Amino acid sequence: MDKRTSTFERVESDVRSYSRSFPRLFDRAQGASIYDHNGKGYTDFLSGCSSLNYGHNDPDLKQALIEYVSGDGIAHGLDMFTDAKEQFLAAFERVILRPREMDYRVQFTGPTGANAVEAALKLARKVTGRQNVIAFTNGFHGVTLGALAATGNGKHRGGAATPLTGVSRAAFDGYFGENVDTADMLDQQLSDPSSGIDAPAAIIVETVQGEGGLNAASPEWLRRIEAIARKHGALFIIDDIQAGCGRTGGFFSFDGMGLSPDIITMAKSLSGMGLPLAVTLLRPEHDIWSPAEHNGTFRGNNHAFVTARAALEKFWADDEFAKQIAGNAAYLKQRLERIAGEAGLSLRGRGMMMGINMGSGEAAAAVCKSCFQNGLIIETSGSHDEIVKVLAPLNIPRDEFAAGLDTLEAAVATEMRHTRIAAE
Amino acid sequence: MDKRTSTFERVESDVRSYSRSFPRLFDRAQGASIYDHNGKGYTDFLSGCSSLNYGHNDPDLKQALIEYVSGDGIAHGLDMFTDAKEQFLAAFERVILRPREMDYRVQFTGPTGANAVEAALKLARKVTGRQNVIAFTNGFHGVTLGALAATGNGKHRGGAATPLTGVSRAAFDGYFGENVDTADMLDQQLSDPSSGIDAPAAIIVETVQGEGGLNAASPEWLRRIEAIARKHGALFIIDDIQAGCGRTGGFFSFDGMGLSPDIITMAKSLSGMGLPLAVTLLRPEHDIWSPAEHNGTFRGNNHAFVTARAALEKFWADDEFAKQIAGNAAYLKQRLERIAGEAGLSLRGRGMMMGINMGSGEAAAAVCKSCFQNGLIIETSGSHDEIVKVLAPLNIPRDEFAAGLDTLEAAVATEMRHTRIAAE
Amino acid sequence: MDKRTSTFERVESDVRSYSRSFPRLFDRAQGASIYDHNGKGYTDFLSGCSSLNYGHNDPDLKQALIEYVSGDGIAHGLDMFTDAKEQFLAAFERVILRPREMDYRVQFTGPTGANAVEAALKLARKVTGRQNVIAFTNGFHGVTLGALAATGNGKHRGGAATPLTGVSRAAFDGYFGENVDTADMLDQQLSDPSSGIDAPAAIIVETVQGEGGLNAASPEWLRRIEAIARKHGALFIIDDIQAGCGRTGGFFSFDGMGLSPDIITMAKSLSGMGLPLAVTLLRPEHDIWSPAEHNGTFRGNNHAFVTARAALEKFWADDEFAKQIAGNAAYLKQRLERIAGEAGLSLRGRGMMMGINMGSGEAAAAVCKSCFQNGLIIETSGSHDEIVKVLAPLNIPRDEFAAGLDTLEAAVATEMRHTRIAAE
Amino acid sequence: MDKRTSTFERVESDVRSYSRSFPRLFDRAQGASIYDHNGKGYTDFLSGCSSLNYGHNDPDLKQALIEYVSGDGIAHGLDMFTDAKEQFLAAFERVILRPREMDYRVQFTGPTGANAVEAALKLARKVTGRQNVIAFTNGFHGVTLGALAATGNGKHRGGAATPLTGVSRAAFDGYFGENVDTADMLDQQLSDPSSGIDAPAAIIVETVQGEGGLNAASPEWLRRIEAIARKHGALFIIDDIQAGCGRTGGFFSFDGMGLSPDIITMAKSLSGMGLPLAVTLLRPEHDIWSPAEHNGTFRGNNHAFVTARAALEKFWADDEFAKQIAGNAAYLKQRLERIAGEAGLSLRGRGMMMGINMGSGEAAAAVCKSCFQNGLIIETSGSHDEIVKVLAPLNIPRDEFAAGLDTLEAAVATEMRHTRIAAE
């Protein structure tokens, strides 16, 4: 450890985590590359856990921000009307909502995904007058107390050090294997007045569970869940914080699936540049908040409005970017199938949100460590951290993508060789 | 309403609030002034609810940010080691902690004050193995479910639409009048094994209740509360989110009071420029988090690290700024005493966080409305929104400060005249 | 309504329920018969919901009680040592525990089943330091707040009018059909650190769900649940309040199944004569209560100790009574199979705790109503009250049993005929 | 320990408590006397914690019960209409309600005080749609989870081993000394929308806190609390379980105080003979229970109905018994004043529910131990078990009462002498 990184040891809490996997001091990043202070570059297959879907410091977003700051644009605006917010809202309406014939209002919550989830759950309880919420096995919705109750991860739940309440757990698509229809199970329980599952205010679901192991729900299952929510008087909430903003192909992870969630939460890549921004989208008929009933100091992060608007207009005004994602996703799938196939492993996920199930957290960690030594930043996911998860920028140039995947391929092969040797 | 503001009506949730008091489209801000898109300037006595203590777009902070962005500095870094974070931590240690002989670690939580409070409460429960928390009447600690349980405000609590648990309420300093010692009351209850108040994990307190009505606790009372926490095995948490960063005079609102909180939460003006940033300071012996046990996507907001470091170095490296605050605070107090005295009203608060108790929410609203019509942005606080609260930039030039206070003085005088006429 | 029953309309709460099904004023009861104040007798297939397993006013129990009262035996003894309590404990040890090589301590809780369950859940949480409890679909454990959280019935849960916490719901044996192994499902969820089901303090189960529809768990499934509890560090609690005391054949409903619950709750027929009495049996190594930590004024109901002791000695000192139950149960099964078979209906339950699934609550209610008109008291059970439940005294003479079942048979036949006609 | 008491050591849970203070095997009791199995008699100043207000085995009650049992009267009736229940209800209406012009309905809950409290709190939440309940410092309302949340005692609360929710704590009359008006404090907090005390469904109070230290609220304070409940839309609940049934003079502890509680809970001495019985009295307009929404197997304890009816008719049909209580209470007060006065101690309580504050639990325990050695059963109360509590039968003959008080007087004098010697 050098003098610089010793600062962290001395002054930062032990709660830090990613810095343990990638113990370098980074100072600069562009596109799919991130550089340490010795100038060494790394390909970034982590992308801020899907917060940097357009890569680091996209030149157009960066330019828009610099101009805004240079012109004394408002940085912090509470929830006042600002030019930057109006432009973001207008672009969001024009580029995202109208083409999809979606009628939603935008609530700017505190700029974290967890805060957007907290707002969603509070609103669902207000609207329905009910208090129970259905969340799924392996779901991840944040670590503030209301969102944490919906999160499945035991380490995070344990951090509360007090019981988490108000959530009943249901099994995600495929949780009990291919032959068990978990949607039917949920419907049965909600239809049974003595099941012990109280009538829910909401069902909250990720279409692909980013932290939970890249479990991708089928469109059919998601439609069933929405129908079950409607049947039982619950709001249907899609938490699109990690899977949205193009990560699985469309702007929403459920584009084209025929779903009409009552509430959608977004954050991570929404600002386009990794700046804190979170929104809760809600149908107008559910917009029964009283003014400031859910508030937060940084709900008017205008820098993020500027880059978010620029990102919407650059990437989502036409189909080009979606086609690029589709191309990259197809390439990713082909490469991962080969890597996994050779090793007898299985794939997980969908779109540009795929990974390899290494079978154990130890094996996955070894792969990631080997990758890092070879200039690739990549992380794990899943109940046992057993999934090596590729979260490359969506617009990563093909050659960089290929090189990164080559590194991954080699690391997996090495790990499988070690495993075989150990087994013999 | 013009075409631009109609966007908000159409697309933004009705939860918005400040835009109702100040229905203009703002686009630019500098120092103590904020401008609408017609070019009309307003003096800002709201300062992002104390998030803009150094005014809007301080030129040095702005310059640092532009340079950082221009050089492709990392924007989003999860909790990896970055140059910007290291510089912030080193500056915080050098400028803030060491001169005060304070030994704390910095936890970067999700970048909202509520998130910092959630982390604080979770940690206190982990450390003590207890689940109850003592919070005070009229306290405000955020609106996510864990923090909201500690918040006193009924409107915000009602937003949860489900019971809030894990917090027992105690009376703040002076809540029951000057002759009732609320610290003694708390000690009696915690000393009585049958009081029904469970042994607490923590006592969380604001030194000045920013949202609760500018109630300022005396140093003696705060020392009593800290001693009571120690006596009963609880951690002592100061929520310095609104009162900290110079608002009451020193960097911490409790500087010089002889207090040693176990945990300190900070946010709002910490980044110096209104960018989202929040930290939980904790003593090393309590740093028992496992890696990522409390996490969040935007806990590495590097733009905020850059401006926060610049703010620390510009304003807190020597005593000059504190002296400027003291001067402005003295001037504010003198002016408010005159305004209040003439009208037979009382003052509230401390330092640059003072206000006038107008006696009713209606009167306070009328004063704020009149101020806005005359180019001054100012808001209310308190159980009944009855306090007109002056939160000017700490470094506001004296002439602008005076002009703003002139506007306030005239508005109060007008309101009192109306009240007298109505009473006659 | 006559003058006597009008008293109830005027002075008793509308919460009363059974009196709505059987609107007569009853005054006397003996064996399997209960008489209204006009002297009309009814055969009792309800038996106080299994609280009168030995019939009404068994002559030996009655005589023992009269002698005790006549001799100024202590009626109310708090939890002091009394002769009656000692004799009960000694008999329980000698007649019940020792022959089964069971090593348990007896906790006298408040004399209701719910109170015994509350004590069981509290103790499990104390012993394990965990707070979550696993309870099953359609389970019934009482309606005080702690027990109610474990109860599945929606009407009772709704009565709380506040969220019920601390319990996760699992699916009972067969809940999702014969092909779904619900024990495997529970094991999978408890083994998955991200399932969102917190590590449990206890798993609480009824071997036959008396209120939930006479669902009988298989011995294999129960052994699996016990093994899962052990594997995951949870206590295994059998709630034997309704199914115990001979109702399914043995004194415990799980006799001979190879189970070793950590905690057993008993009430209902324990006193033998319907007097309030409840106990929580616990293994010595878990007996970590401090004195009076769970208390209650009527935990020393000595009249009940007297009759309970007499019942133990009369019915359980040798095998005769168990043989009688087995004979009656075989007869019941044969009769119900014929009744159900002719009507194309299915049976539920086990031992002397069996019933017919009428397919709907309406049909079941019609059957019960018809029975009552013909002198038979019988009630329903199940999520939709669709099960007609036979809870005759275990020692009912064969001719009375036969006559009652004749009445039931006729009522079912009539109802099925009506249903067919309506369908045509 | 002899053979008989060793049964308890071996088979009964360590949770037992009173048997530790009075380690004898008791077998018979009559009036104010209780006898061990060696024939030694003890005067009972504990009276089953106020469950035996008419003494042990009152001859008329006993006779009524024997006749009832002998005639095969129904013992267990669920909540069916029975002759015994009708007679009790009619007597309760005639003897208790009508003379007081009280219009209440009687809900028979499970036969424990805690169960009556659970029903009361559930109903208050149902009626108001609110979830918070105000309970007082040192209050005792039972140990099932819903009631326990309202109980102040830390040992009992700790027994839950999980957080207790839904209750805010207020200070009882005089809790903060004579000069602090705790009713004003509560009113201020409920009137302040930011106090952090949510609008309550109910305020539950004991007029004299039996377990909490014989703290007697003044009629004025109780009227203030009732008015505060009305003002803030909460139901006013008096828990009269320990203080009712004549213990403080009238049938209700609040007779003649001008109070009109919405709900009253009763248990303990209601059956007159110590048999388990509990009721929740509620105003007809609040009787919104659905059938069986709150139920319980033993809510039809007909033996208790028989003795309860007999007790009402014997003791409450005219004024004689109330006069007898008044006479005994005056005598008790005079004696205790002398005992306490000589020792420089203070009195607590009201009516036949008075005690001496010994200043410490050790001193109080020593007094009780000495009394027991001299044939007097008496126990302690209070936060630190520092109050020696006299709960003699209300109709104790004067000579027995005097003898018991002589024993107490001697024990106090001895203890004070020891204390003085130790201090010197």
Side-chain angles (χ1 to χ4, degrees), chain B residues 260-374:
Chain B
S260 299
D262 295 284
I263 301 180
I264 305 162
T265 55
M266 306 203 77
K268 293 201 183 269
S269 277
L270 185 61
S271 78
M273 206 171 131
L275 305 184
L277 183 62
V279 299
T280 300
L281 306 181
L282 42 113
R283 288 177 186 282
E285 65 266 31
H286 298 325
D287 191 14
I288 61 170
W289 291 114
S290 69
E293 195 172 2
H294 182 93
N295 67 358
T297 291
F298 297 122
R299 64 197 185 281
N301 182 10
N302 282 261
H303 288 189
F305 295 152
V306 169
T307 57
R309 191 259 309 145
L312 291 178
E313 294 181 344
K314 176 170 180 175
F315 296 106
W316 299 101
D318 61 27
D319 289 349
E320 287 311 304
F321 184 60
K323 286 179 190 164
Q324 185 184 6
I325 300 173
N328 271 341
Y331 176 69
L332 173 62
K333 190 175 184 194
Q334 170 207 324
R335 288 294 306 266
L336 289 183
E337 281 177 343
R338 198 178 71 192
I339 297 172
E342 286 175 357
L345 302 170
S346 64
L347 294 196
R348 293 288 183 87
R350 183 157 71 80
M352 283 291 277
M353 193 175 187
M354 296 192 71
I356 298 176
N357 184 349
M358 294 301 302
S360 77
E362 292 68 29
V367 166
C368 292
K369 188 172 183 183
S370 164
C371 286
F372 184 61
Q373 287 165 344
N374 291 289

Side-chain angles (χ1 to χ4, degrees), chain B residues 145-198:
Chain B
L145 226 57
L148 185 52
T151 290
N153 185 288
K155 180 177 71 176
H156 292 113
R157 294 176 68 84
T162 199
L164 298 165
T165 61
V167 172
S168 293
R169 194 68 44 183
F172 194 73
D173 191 16
Y175 188 74
F176 290 123
E178 288 188 6
N179 295 325
V180 178
D181 185 330
T182 57
D184 276 354
M185 284 168 49
L186 178 59
D187 189 27
Q188 179 180 335
Q189 287 183 299
L190 295 180
S191 301
D192 176 355
S194 289
S195 70
I197 308 295
D198 296 320

Side-chain angles (χ1 to χ4, degrees), chain A residues 5 17 26 34 125 153 170 177 200 261 273 294 320 363 372 395-396 414:
Chain A
T5 53
S17 58
F26 299 98
I34 181 169
R125 288 175 172 135
N153 185 288
M273 210 173 127
H294 181 92
E320 287 310 305
F372 184 62
N395 55 357
I396 187 172
T414 303

Side-chain angles (χ1 to χ4, degrees), chain A residues 322-398:
Chain A
K323 287 180 190 163
Q324 185 183 6
I325 301 173
N328 270 342
Y331 176 70
L332 172 62
K333 190 176 185 194
Q334 170 208 323
R335 288 293 308 269
L336 289 183
E337 279 176 346
R338 199 177 72 193
I339 297 172
E342 286 175 358
L345 301 170
S346 63
L347 295 196
R348 293 288 182 88
R350 185 158 69 79
M352 284 291 278
M353 193 174 186
M354 297 193 71
I356 299 175
N357 184 349
M358 294 301 302
S360 77
E362 292 68 31
V367 168
C368 292
K369 187 171 184 183
S370 164
C371 287
F372 184 62
Q373 288 165 345
N374 290 289
L376 179 68
I377 288 177
I378 189 167
E379 259 289 359
T380 61
S381 164
S383 289
H384 302 278
D385 298 321
E386 74 279 22
I387 313 292
V388 174
K389 175 166 78 163
V390 180
L391 290 178
L394 306 181
N395 55 357
I396 187 172
R398 183 60 55 90

Side-chain angles (χ1 to χ4, degrees), chain A residues 66-263:
Chain A
I66 291 172
E67 280 172 20
Y68 186 80
V69 176
S70 302
D72 282 332
I74 290 167
H76 181 286
L78 291 167
D79 68 352
M80 289 195 280
F81 295 156
T82 65
D83 181 69
K85 184 157 80 165
E86 194 276 340
Q87 289 198 43
F88 168 74
L89 283 172
F92 193 79
E93 185 184 34
R94 186 177 66 250
V95 174
I96 302 298
L97 296 178
R98 283 208 190 131
R100 288 168 177 79
E101 296 185 344
M102 291 170 74
D103 186 17
Y104 288 84
R105 289 204 178 149
V106 179
Q107 175 179 6
F108 296 103
T109 65
T112 69
N115 205 293
V117 170
E118 295 262 347
L121 299 183
K122 286 161 78 169
L123 186 66
R125 288 175 172 135
K126 266 179 73 79
V127 166
T128 61
R130 297 172 177 182
Q131 317 204 30
N132 189 28
V133 165
I134 305 288
F136 291 93
T137 50
N138 305 133
F140 186 90
H141 304 284
V143 301
T144 52
L145 226 58
L148 186 53
T151 290
N153 185 288
K155 181 177 71 176
H156 292 114
R157 293 176 68 82
T162 198
L164 298 165
T165 62
V167 172
S168 293
R169 194 68 46 183
F172 195 72
D173 192 16
Y175 188 74
F176 290 122
E178 288 187 5
N179 296 324
V180 178
D181 185 329
T182 57
D184 275 355
M185 285 168 49
L186 179 58
D187 189 27
Q188 178 180 337
Q189 287 182 299
L190 294 182
S191 301
D192 177 356
S194 289
S195 70
I197 308 296
D198 296 319
I203 303 179
I204 184 167
V205 69
E206 300 158 281
T207 65
V208 184
Q209 297 184 314
E211 297 302 303
L214 297 180
N215 311 302
S218 73
E220 295 72 31
W221 186 84
L222 290 165
R223 283 191 291 267
R224 286 273 291 134
I225 297 299
E226 177 172 322
I228 290 165
R230 302 261 180 276
K231 176 180 171 186
H232 298 287
L235 300 199
F236 179 55
I237 304 175
I238 291 185
D239 179 341
D240 226 25
I241 290 170
Q242 184 158 160
C245 293
R247 178 52 60 187
T248 63
F251 182 78
F252 295 110
S253 72
F254 54 87
D255 276 351
M257 289 189 180
L259 297 171
S260 297
D262 294 286
I263 301 179

Side-chain angles (χ1 to χ4, degrees), chain C residues 136 183 186 203 221-230 236:
Chain C
F136 290 93
L186 178 59
I203 303 180
W221 187 84
L222 289 165
R223 284 191 290 267
R224 286 273 291 133
I225 297 299
E226 176 172 322
I228 289 166
R230 302 261 182 274
F236 179 56

Side-chain angles (χ1 to χ4, degrees), chain C residues 265-281:
Chain C
T265 55
M266 308 204 77
K268 292 199 183 273
S269 278
L270 186 59
S271 76
M273 208 172 129
L275 306 185
L277 182 63
V279 299
T280 300
L281 306 181

